């Protein structure tokens, strides 16, 4: 698997972590190991713990470079459990954590994973193949109301209602089995000229819902803030507006010193500011990176530093 995944915003995210000797770092989303390898190749004397909930990513990295580094630990788990994984290594605090969200090119390009609307595969879309429920259950068992809500909330698709109705109608005669069948239904029930975008949005919505990506991200970011040492760095690369909004709002909330309503004469909330945001605007890839790797197109990197909190 030569082209498992081309890392996005590589230089920028490694710089964001401010890697220094003697400290502990976490790569929450190992994927093809591009960022993990770059962290190790800084040559600093660090400990690195890298997570992925996809066994294929762990296997690939273990076989291609993992065994060459005795300061690297690979853990097959959801990053919402990263605190436990870190604690099992007898580590209490960390000094930097990177989240490079979403799916890897490997996952998209393997038809049987069911993430791509242009490759024929079963309706799967599980990031962790040990999970029981697949996209098939959502597409074939969920009600019109449930489908519409998922497409609207997680895909921000304007034609959610029409597409949900189309799915309900089509599955009356036979269950929808494959990615291409679903893609064809979206094509036929979308009126606008944005059929490609509609397919991307509906597939994204099902994937986010199925893998519980929003809750998992919120939990993990809150935990990351707690487990960082003062001066420690949190770096997050997101690929769509929904994810980026969560990251932006969470960082802003953590940075705030007070959350009392403006009408209060004095502060009573006792909120502490835990983070300093280092990117007022997110870092985006340079044109040459986008030209080389179209997946980088929508990437946004946000960085924050943990404050001293008494
Ligand atoms: C964009 S890729 C990361 C690519 C990686 N930075 C590289 O350079 O190759 C995202 C990876 O995160 C993993 N992932 C997504 N959500 C996860 C979660 N909640 N827990 C653990 N891994 C997750 C996916 O399985 C995928 O392999």
């Amino acid at each position: 698997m030569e082209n498992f995944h081309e890392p996005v915003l590589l230089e920028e995210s490694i710089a964001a972590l401010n890697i220094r000797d003697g400290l502990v770092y976490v790569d929450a989303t190992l994927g093809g190991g591009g960022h993990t390898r770059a962290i190790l190749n800084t040559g600093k004397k660090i400990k690195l713990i890298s997570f992925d909930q996809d066994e294929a990513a762990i296997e690939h990295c273990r076989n291609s470079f993992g065994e060459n580094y005795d300061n690297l630990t690979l853990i097959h788990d959801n990053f919402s459990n990263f605190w436990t994984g870190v604690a099992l290594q007898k580590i209490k605090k960390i000094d930097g954590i990177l989240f490079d969200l979403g799916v890897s090119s490997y996952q998209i390009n393997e038809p049987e994973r069911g993430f791509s609307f242009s490759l024929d595969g079963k309706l799967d879309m599980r990031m962790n193949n040990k999970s029981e429920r697949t996209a098939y259950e959502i597409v074939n068992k969920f009600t019109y109301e449930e489908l519409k809500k998922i497409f609207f909330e997680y895909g921000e698709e304007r034609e959610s209602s029409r597409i949900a109705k189309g799915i309900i109608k089509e599955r009356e005669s036979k269950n929808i089995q494959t990615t291409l069948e679903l893609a064809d239904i979206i094509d036929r029930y979308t009126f606008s000229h944005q059929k490609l975008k509609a397919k991307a949005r509906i597939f994204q919505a099902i994937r986010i819902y199925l893998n519980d990506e929003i809750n998992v991200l919120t939990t993990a970011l809150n935990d990351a803030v707690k487990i960082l040492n003062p001066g420690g760095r949190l770096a997050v690369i997101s690929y769509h507006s929904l994810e980026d909004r969560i990251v932006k709002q969470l960082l802003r909330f953590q940075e705030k010193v007070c959350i009392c309503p403006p009408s209060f004469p004095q502060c009573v909330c006792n909120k502490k500011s835990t983070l300093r945001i280092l990117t007022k605007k997110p870092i985006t890839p340079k044109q040459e990176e986008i030209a080389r790797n179209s997946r980088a197109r929508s990437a946004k990197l946000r960085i924050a530093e943990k404050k001293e909190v008494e």
Side-chain angles (χ1 to χ4, degrees), residues 6-23:
E6 164 125 19
V8 170
L9 287 167
L10 186 60
E11 259 177 53
E12 294 86 344
S13 47
I14 302 306
L17 291 172
N18 189 25
I19 299 169
R20 284 162 299 150
D21 282 331
L23 303 183

Side-chain angles (χ1 to χ4, degrees), residues 52-54 78-80 101-103 107 113-115 123-135 138 142 150 154 203-219 240 243:
D52 205 295
Q53 62 173 331
D54 188 344
N78 195 300
F79 60 55
S80 61
L101 301 169
V103 276
Q107 289 166 325
R113 300 298 298 265
F115 287 111
L123 283 170
D124 189 318
M125 297 196 207
R126 288 168 304 168
M127 286 208 192
N128 181 349
N129 62 9
K130 299 273 187 294
S131 313
E132 281 185 6
R133 190 162 69 180
T134 66
I138 295 175
F142 277 32
I150 292 171
Y154 301 128
F203 272 64
Q204 169 191 297
I206 298 174
R207 190 201 88 206
I208 291 178
Y209 177 82
L210 179 71
N211 294 289
D212 197 21
E213 290 179 31
I214 301 301
N215 288 327
V216 158
L217 176 61
T218 310
T219 306
H240 56 78
E243 265 172 3

Side-chain angles (χ1 to χ4, degrees), residues 65 95 118 162 306:
F65 65 91
D95 301 284
S118 54
R162 195 172 295 132
K306 178 79 179 276

